[in-house]
Amino acid sequence: MIPLQRFPVEPWHVREIGLDLNLLAQSESVFALSNGHIGVRGTLEEGDPSGLPGTYLNSFYEQRPLPYAEAGYGYPESGQSVVNVTNGKLIRLLVDDETFDMRYGQILHHERILDLRAGLLRRVVEWESPSGRIIRVRSTRLVSFTQRAILAAHYEVEAVNGATRVVLQSELVANEDMPRQSADPRVSAILERPLDPQLHSNSGNRSMLIHQTRISGLRMAAAVDHLVVGPSNVSAHSYIEEDWARTTAGTKLEPGETLGITKYVAYGWSSQRSLPALRDQVDAALSAVLHTGWHDLLAEQREYLDEYWDGADVEVGGDPAVQQAVRFGMYHVLQAGARAEQRALPAKGLTGTGYDGHAFWDTEMYVLPVLTATAPRAAADALRWRHSTIELATERARTLRLKGAAFPWRTIRGQECSAYWPAGTAAFHVNADIAVAAARYVQWTGDDEFERQCGLALLVETARLWMSLGYHGNDGRFHIDGITGPDEYSAIVDDNIYTNLMAAENLRQATESAKRWPNEADALDVEVDELNRWMAAADTMAMPYDHELGVHQQYRGSTEHEVWDFKASAVEDDYPLLLHSPYFDLYRKQVVKQADLVLAMHWRGNEFTLAEKARAFEYYEALTVRDSSLSACSQAILAAEVGQLQLAHDYLIEAATMDLQDLEHNTRDGVHVASLAGSWLALVCGFGGMRDYGGVLSFAPQLAPTMTRLSWSVRWRGCKIRVQVSPTDVTYSVDDGPDATVEIRHSGQLIALTTGVPVTRSLVKVEPLTPRPAQPAGRAPRSIAPQ
Amino acid sequence: MIPLQRFPVEPWHVREIGLDLNLLAQSESVFALSNGHIGVRGTLEEGDPSGLPGTYLNSFYEQRPLPYAEAGYGYPESGQSVVNVTNGKLIRLLVDDETFDMRYGQILHHERILDLRAGLLRRVVEWESPSGRIIRVRSTRLVSFTQRAILAAHYEVEAVNGATRVVLQSELVANEDMPRQSADPRVSAILERPLDPQLHSNSGNRSMLIHQTRISGLRMAAAVDHLVVGPSNVSAHSYIEEDWARTTAGTKLEPGETLGITKYVAYGWSSQRSLPALRDQVDAALSAVLHTGWHDLLAEQREYLDEYWDGADVEVGGDPAVQQAVRFGMYHVLQAGARAEQRALPAKGLTGTGYDGHAFWDTEMYVLPVLTATAPRAAADALRWRHSTIELATERARTLRLKGAAFPWRTIRGQECSAYWPAGTAAFHVNADIAVAAARYVQWTGDDEFERQCGLALLVETARLWMSLGYHGNDGRFHIDGITGPDEYSAIVDDNIYTNLMAAENLRQATESAKRWPNEADALDVEVDELNRWMAAADTMAMPYDHELGVHQQYRGSTEHEVWDFKASAVEDDYPLLLHSPYFDLYRKQVVKQADLVLAMHWRGNEFTLAEKARAFEYYEALTVRDSSLSACSQAILAAEVGQLQLAHDYLIEAATMDLQDLEHNTRDGVHVASLAGSWLALVCGFGGMRDYGGVLSFAPQLAPTMTRLSWSVRWRGCKIRVQVSPTDVTYSVDDGPDATVEIRHSGQLIALTTGVPVTRSLVKVEPLTPRPAQPAGRAPRSIAPQ
């Protein structure tokens, strides 16, 4: 875990003072830069020491066999792993005759700042070499949001205490050596030397390396150019080999003099384009950015972010730690989605190799709701990516002997990569998650063209999947048996309420969409009778309930099972349980890894009364161990809804500081994008009480005891709706986009909101129906906020 | 499938006339010889062509890594695979200048006979070489029941149509080339060149090869000696290399003259003994058998079998195909168990590499009931083997976070080798199967010493397992959730009735045994309170019942699930379903691979009324597809009990001819020992109605329409009880062992049976309560008997 004081609380910065070599990998994830297309971990320029070196290109992967000691029907034969591509960050420094290395000499000052408004990673070092020479290094790094192919860095060394001979070596390195990963089954396998060299060329200080993966056959190019600024006597030259290019600049600096290098790196990859086409593409990108220049590149970056924050920022008064954390979270959400452009949004974004670089359902259920409200174009792109894989999904459904489309549980390119069948052939809720995300996007944006081209097909094919998965039982209800819901401590269950309600919504939205687009529906062979069957299934969907306990069941019969021995687990420090217990035992007992029924009560909350929510929240709180990073934010949302505001705040802090405090002990493998997005959800859907049931935006704001103010915006059908909450009042306004009247609800009450005319209403407090619910022993929220 | 006419119906022989090269592998399994210690497949002496060459030593295995694309807690890291050891069967023949090979020249006559009374495999060939030379070959092969280390063969070639130069080459070959196996996940991986040479030596015509496996480090020795008999001018010499020894004898034969060779092969293996010790052991075994000589070795074999058949034979009047098949079955049961001597009895015996050579629960539930009644010493040995692995089982229980002992789902040596967690960490019924088999053995034999030394510990540690697996629910019943029962088309279910009732019996027997052996129980830390808890759990064991349908549920809620679309599966020829459907779909629907509730109704039938049995049998017949070879015999038993005698007979034929007709299409990998034993169970427990509930032997004989007579014996507490059934009467007698009075039941009525005083009673017919139950489309019993 990262010590609480490591990143001091500041509103727009994540600042690290000093350098803890034991936490290098974690800080590489926290300080990772990405635009959704390129991702570079926050490794020190000099490369050594490092935690987990990493440079990634979205969807650039290698294929690998999936071994099975006992194979079964429908198991995927090969998987996909994100590949560490050519490293363009590297700048080594020689000071007199000694290598600049944080493990030797003395660090007089070390500071790194992730600037959330400027979109830059800055570093300042004052270092005394083992022989007593003092230098100052300042660097700035960015991955451009405006020039998608570009990573750029400025690096400057200054002599401090006497004439100093300095040599800068700027490098491109392919097939870097990688450290071994842990034995945790969730931590992905590492691929060694994945890149076959295809071309290396150099001209002046511009170099290029082109490589290809061996099995997936993807080709990538990295090109670099340099501007060197220093005293007149600077010499610079370049050298290149197959896996490696170096530009060297050296000089002698008098105290106060500096040697600087500006480095532009352009990346590109393709599964189809020829080598010359790819070569020219990255060369052009380099020429473009050189034409822009460093100063304007930074200005573009700031401008892009200003626009983002204008719609995406949540202001939290009286709660500086949450304020910083939610901004850090929203910055990483943007980094994951900004320029992915019809590629997957992986669970770790492009910040590490965790989960092999795969995308899961949390993209649709945690990240896209946030992007839909704050950066809708990125949301559309992510959904268009899903749509682009629909043929793979229909093929997969056929393999599983089902109708419609079955999207993968985990993937990079679209093929199912899960080697664990209770997930890969049973966690079907991912399909409803995708479909409902598409419907939500259409509802929020009114993007008809998207609906016509992509949304309808996503909804129709997933609706067909549900019809082939479920059946009408003798009780007249529609049942979906033998599937796996969100909670990974149960599997292969019947009538998981989350899945059932999401499937029902999927079926309803599919029906409505098909009615809106009759010609397109016709082209998909949708028949009227089919729509009737969809609605009949949706309307009779089973929702198992325990009448004795008076609580909904996460799945049919769930509440009849033995309750996990939480006391024993606390005593034996058995968390996360999946590393200390066999699946069969987790699955058969009442123990919940992550919000499941509680998640259903957030997204399909109109299917439950407030009393039912309060009762269920209390019941499942006692069973939920949060061994998943997806849980805290959802628990925060329900806690707020049922009036448990302090508990909601505790969960909010856990979700928001997941990576800043390394709460899951695996931030080294990349940040938890879903949990970071979840901190926005916890504030906006939790404390803000925002819902969109039935296509009407509703709010029911409340503040945590410490909060003095909460305000945020969402983009809704071209407008920007702004909500400002004080301890007593809520003010709504529409202050962007076309003149419009938007109907919203404030704590149940309809308000017709007109552009430019703010409306203020009293805040309506929710009285909790239960005492503060208790968690399993030792599993209360990790709510200690940084100071 | 093997054509129906392939093995003509004869009472004591399995005879093959002609040679179908496409069925070589199947016939190698059918004609495999074994004594439980050595197993040799029925490969032609000349080695080529062959199906699957194979020579096995019980529990001689190689360890291999078990790969997982996504590993989980408690998954075993390495597996065990049976190894094809040094082949001692090989005798090649040169006829003039042409190799004796069934693929060339012309087969004038080819006949193989497995003689079930003599314990021999005989072969007669008349062959015309491509150049027109005719010879006659006669061979006899045996694996000795009386000299455990010995494989012996006599081989004789006779010139028929002119002076013929013949050369015999008798070989030992280690690390034979093996063919690739199918993609069926159930077919085990083949290990290539598993044996490292350690010693090869030769003296005269005696040769020896010693090898060791690489990872498991097991050492084996094979030694051979020869007697050559022929015209005076026979020359013989031997040659040896690391993996290979050859003795050559050649001569010129005039028509009518023969050249003969008698070959003795001795095998031994050890994980501990030194190389010289092993060398001397097999050399001594060779010397012993040479001293015995061929004639006496055959006589010993016959004598051993006479005694076996005296107690084990079932005579079936009017049903010659069943008569032959049940004897074939009982012969293979003996071969599997006779001299295993505290080693595992694998599912395929030592007849092939199917299931990697692993032993499963079917040993205890299908094979041991038969051996207990017919060859009790072999049953005791098998149970002593389980007891010898109890430390591994307690260790495994600890790994699974359970108390007591958790025996492996599949293993050779005792370590869990299942890489499929729903079996390897959930099919706990194997533990009750073992415990109840031990209790049954004690009940039948009165072997107190076994109970004291082994039985008690097996019962106590498995009882403890059940207590840690189950719990008392709010309904006051004892529940066992989240486990896998016998039916492999459901998994991870709650309250599987078979498991629950077997666990209850386990708990009761453990309690009684602990009371019988208080000091020994004390040494196992058994406390009085513990016994009370065991009995409380046993007495309140949950038995889920569907009140609407009026039928027991295979597991809690099973009857609520969707019924499998059997019609579609029949149309698409989707059997076995597991090769065409994903697990999740099989598991969530009503489709039964193999008898499960029906199996419970046989072994724990006193917990059900006859009406309940008839109802359940009818209900589950419609769901049971018999994709497992373990099913038909159990269905036969229940069918007979509920008066469905023709159906029982149909299932009997399927069970009994499983391998003679290759009904499962995998006899090539070895015979189905459990199903073969099951043919005895189908006759004796099915038509004979034999049960042992509560320690009283009971019978309720009935005959199938075609049967004129049925008689069998069982060994019971040192006596031999004989039952002879005619269409109208049943005669019981005690005609062996000490003078005794045995209390038995005849169709419910108590009889005190005294040695030497037969009792005859009228046969009591059971009227069926339902029409003949229907099976899923296309899954009626494969009941066409051979002619």
Side-chain angles (χ1 to χ4, degrees), chain A residues 43-168:
Chain A
T43 319
L44 303 176
E45 284 85 356
E46 58 272 23
D48 275 37
S50 74
L52 174 71
T55 305
Y56 315 109
L57 298 178
N58 194 337
S59 300
F60 190 82
Y61 67 91
E62 182 53 306
Q63 199 169 308
R64 62 187 175 88
L66 292 176
Y68 303 100
E70 294 185 42
Y73 176 85
Y75 287 17
E77 283 167 21
S78 61
Q80 298 166 353
S81 289
V82 64
V83 162
N84 178 30
V85 301
T86 309
N87 181 357
K89 300 185 295 285
L90 216 58
I91 300 175
R92 298 198 206 274
L93 169 62
L94 193 81
V95 177
D96 282 346
D97 55 358
E98 283 166 315
T99 301
F100 178 65
D101 186 316
M102 296 298 101
R103 291 167 298 193
Y104 309 103
Q106 214 183 327
I107 303 175
L108 305 177
H109 179 70
H110 195 285
E111 187 173 343
R112 289 193 284 182
I113 302 167
L114 180 65
D115 184 328
L116 306 173
R117 275 182 303 197
L120 303 173
L121 178 65
R122 291 210 177 84
R123 181 186 181 198
V124 181
V125 194
E126 205 168 301
W127 181 72
E128 182 175 338
S129 77
S131 64
R133 189 62 72 208
I134 296 177
I135 54 147
R136 206 172 279 132
V137 169
R138 289 184 199 85
S139 76
T140 301
R141 183 192 292 170
L142 69 91
V143 171
S144 173
F145 288 113
T146 56
Q147 303 197 28
R148 189 168 175 251
I150 299 300
L151 157 71
H154 181 75
Y155 188 98
E156 197 177 81
V157 54
E158 175 189 346
V160 174
N161 67 344
T164 308
R165 197 170 54 243
V166 294
V167 178
L168 290 178

Side-chain angles (χ1 to χ4, degrees), chain A residues 389-401:
Chain A
T389 68
I390 203 164
E391 272 183 46
L392 295 171
T394 51
E395 201 181 290
R396 179 69 178 158
R398 265 358 122 253
T399 300
L400 298 178
R401 316 296 293 253

Side-chain angles (χ1 to χ4, degrees), chain B residues 311-325:
Chain B
D313 188 32
V314 184
E315 289 176 86
V316 190
D319 213 341
V322 167
Q323 178 66 78
Q324 178 190 42

Side-chain angles (χ1 to χ4, degrees), chain A residues 616-632:
Chain A
F617 183 68
E618 184 185 36
Y619 185 85
Y620 289 96
E621 275 296 282
L623 303 174
T624 304
V625 296
R626 293 193 325 292
D627 282 348
S628 162
S629 65
L630 299 180
S631 199

Side-chain angles (χ1 to χ4, degrees), chain A residues 401 481 494 561 574 580, chain B residues 401 481 494 561 572 574 580:
Chain A
R401 316 296 293 253
D481 285 353
D494 303 330
H561 287 143
D574 270 351
H580 303 92
Chain B
R401 317 295 293 251
D481 286 353
D494 303 331
H561 288 141
E572 293 176 32
D574 269 352
H580 303 92

Side-chain angles (χ1 to χ4, degrees), chain A residues 325-578:
Chain A
V326 69
R327 283 177 177 151
F328 170 75
M330 288 301 286
Y331 186 74
H332 269 292
V333 168
L334 177 71
Q335 289 206 132
R339 303 299 304 274
E341 292 174 18
Q342 304 189 37
R343 300 281 178 197
L345 304 195
K348 302 288 184 188
L350 300 177
T351 69
T353 55
Y355 300 114
D356 272 342
H358 290 170
F360 296 75
W361 67 290
D362 30 330
T363 301
E364 277 77 10
M365 288 310 295
Y366 290 81
V367 183
L368 293 199
V370 179
L371 288 177
T372 298
T374 59
R377 216 170 56 193
D381 275 344
L383 290 163
R384 284 180 188 275
W385 166 67
R386 286 291 192 187
H387 180 260
S388 76
T389 68
I390 203 164
E391 272 183 46
L392 295 171
T394 51
E395 201 181 290
R396 179 69 178 158
R398 265 358 122 253
T399 300
L400 298 178
R401 316 296 293 253
L402 297 166
K403 305 254 190 287
F407 286 92
W409 175 245
R410 54 188 302 172
T411 191
I412 292 178
R413 171 67 190 85
Q415 291 86 352
E416 180 60 77
C417 294
S418 171
Y420 185 60
W421 74 259
T425 70
F428 289 105
H429 68 84
V430 62
N431 297 285
D433 302 334
I434 292 168
V436 170
R440 182 192 306 119
Y441 169 78
V442 172
Q443 194 173 68
W444 279 64
T445 60
D447 185 345
D448 289 345
E449 201 47 27
F450 169 85
E451 184 179 24
R452 196 180 63 77
Q453 290 174 357
C454 306
L456 176 69
L458 287 171
L459 285 160
V460 164
E461 296 302 344
T462 48
R464 286 171 169 163
L465 180 81
W466 295 116
M467 295 310 290
S468 72
L469 268 170
Y471 65 102
H472 286 277
N474 295 331
D475 59 356
R477 313 297 292 179
F478 192 79
H479 297 278
I480 302 170
D481 285 353
I483 56 81
T484 299
D487 169 27
E488 294 180 355
Y489 287 170
S490 61
I492 315 297
V493 300
D494 303 330
D495 284 331
N496 169 253
I497 285 187
Y498 173 87
T499 303
N500 282 15
L501 290 182
M502 290 296 289
E505 180 70 4
N506 188 160
L507 292 163
R508 282 200 192 94
Q509 295 284 359
T511 308
E512 286 174 26
S513 188
K515 285 180 180 165
R516 277 196 294 272
W517 301 97
N519 294 338
E520 287 74 7
D522 214 44
L524 294 169
D525 298 323
V526 177
E527 288 167 19
V528 175
D529 198 45
E530 197 174 7
L531 302 188
N532 293 337
R533 286 198 301 273
W534 294 354
M535 287 308 293
D539 290 345
T540 58
M541 196 62 77
M543 279 180 69
Y545 187 80
D546 185 324
H547 291 275
E548 241 168 83
L549 293 173
V551 71
H552 281 89
Q553 298 182 315
Q554 182 178 311
Y555 56 88
R556 199 159 85 222
S558 72
T559 52
E560 292 161 31
H561 287 143
E562 198 177 1
V563 174
W564 187 263
D565 187 347
F566 295 107
K567 273 187 198 150
S569 292
V571 168
E572 294 176 31
D573 197 15
D574 270 351
Y575 294 95
L577 295 177
L578 84 165

Side-chain angles (χ1 to χ4, degrees), chain B residues 54-57 60 83-87 173-176 195 220 267:
Chain B
T55 305
Y56 315 109
L57 298 177
F60 189 83
V83 163
N84 179 29
V85 301
T86 309
N87 181 357
V173 179
N175 292 313
E176 289 176 290
L195 301 172
M220 68 147 295
Y267 286 101

Side-chain angles (χ1 to χ4, degrees), chain A residues 717-733:
Chain A
R717 298 182 191 159
C719 305
K720 197 176 75 183
I721 298 174
R722 188 159 174 75
V723 186
Q724 299 179 71
V725 186
S726 80
T728 54
D729 297 313
V730 188
T731 301
Y732 300 95
S733 56

